[in-house]
């Protein structure tokens, strides 16, 4: 397996590069920095991992779900609201690195499960974020206020 780390290059990013170098992982870890082509990145991804300490609107999780990816992420209410019930067991508590790693390995080892969870995530997102339904709710709010 290969790991692609995308995101802002901050202090933590430097620590991750140092960790990969120290542990001779540079042949398996790719550091992209910020990515403009999110759809392109997600299209070559098998498992989406998101380790936030807090979250407002989980746009990155929604994008991953719409690309039919299973998600290993921090167990936060905002993230739970987006994911299918099948994906919930792959959430981990803040700073529980062992659980996160176990979840990733389990999904690496079970391709059919990854595909099934990914499809269920997309189905849930399409229901929750249906643009016509949500637009009609906004119209109703405006007209009835």
């Amino acid at each position: 397996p290969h790991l692609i780390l995308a995101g802002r290059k901050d202090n933590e990013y430097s620590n991750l590069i140092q960790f990969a170098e120290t542990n001779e992982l540079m042949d398996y870890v790719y550091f992209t920095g910020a990515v403009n082509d999110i759809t392109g990145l997600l299209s070559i991804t098998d498992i989406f991992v998101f380790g936030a300490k807090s979250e407002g609107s989980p746009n990155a999780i929604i994008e991953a779900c719409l690309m039919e990816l299973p998600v290993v992420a921090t167990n936060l209410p905002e993230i739970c609201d987006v994911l299918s019930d099948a994906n919930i067991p792959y959430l981990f508590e803040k700073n529980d690195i062992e659980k996160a790693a176990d979840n990733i390995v389990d999904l690496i080892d079970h391709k059919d499960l990854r595909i099934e969870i990914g499809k269920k995530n997309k189905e849930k997102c399409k229901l929750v974020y249906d643009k016509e339904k949500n637009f009609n709710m906004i119209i109703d709010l405006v007209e009835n206020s």
Side-chain angles (χ1 to χ4, degrees):
H2 290 88
L3 176 65
I4 300 172
L5 294 173
R8 294 185 308 268
K9 291 186 177 181
D10 56 13
N11 289 342
E12 197 60 40
Y13 205 83
S14 299
N15 293 338
L16 291 169
I17 291 172
Q18 183 178 2
F19 179 86
E21 288 173 344
T22 301
N23 292 282
E24 300 178 3
L25 298 171
M26 292 303 285
D27 289 341
Y28 308 100
V29 181
Y30 302 95
F31 296 90
T32 66
V35 174
N36 291 326
D37 182 11
I38 302 299
T39 304
L41 177 62
L42 293 176
S43 71
I44 62 166
T45 302
D46 294 317
I47 303 166
F48 186 80
V49 180
F50 193 78
K53 299 211 184 270
S54 64
E55 186 63 26
S57 176
N59 293 332
I61 303 287
I62 295 166
E63 291 168 339
C65 289
L66 290 172
M67 293 294 292
E68 294 189 11
L69 293 174
V71 175
V72 174
T74 315
N75 189 2
L76 299 170
E78 301 83 4
I79 292 174
C80 291
D81 289 344
V82 174
L83 298 174
S84 68
D85 290 341
N87 200 134
I88 298 299
Y90 291 90
L91 299 180
F92 58 92
E93 298 306 316
K94 294 178 194 174
N95 299 318
D96 190 350
I97 297 167
E98 289 181 22
K99 172 73 170 158
D102 289 345
N103 289 345
I104 293 167
V105 169
D106 188 51
L107 288 171
I108 288 171
D109 289 343
H110 297 97
K111 182 180 180 180
D112 291 343
L113 181 60
R114 285 196 316 264
I115 292 168
E116 177 186 338
I117 291 171
K119 286 181 181 183
K120 289 181 179 181
N121 282 344
K122 183 174 183 176
E123 289 171 12
K124 170 129 186 226
C125 275
K126 286 178 81 174
L127 285 174
V128 172
Y129 298 101
D130 177 83
K131 57 188 168 196
E132 186 174 323
K133 179 178 86 175
N134 290 334
F135 188 71
N136 287 334
M137 287 171 52
I138 292 170
I139 291 172
D140 288 344
L141 283 171
V142 170
E143 288 178 348
N144 295 320
S145 55

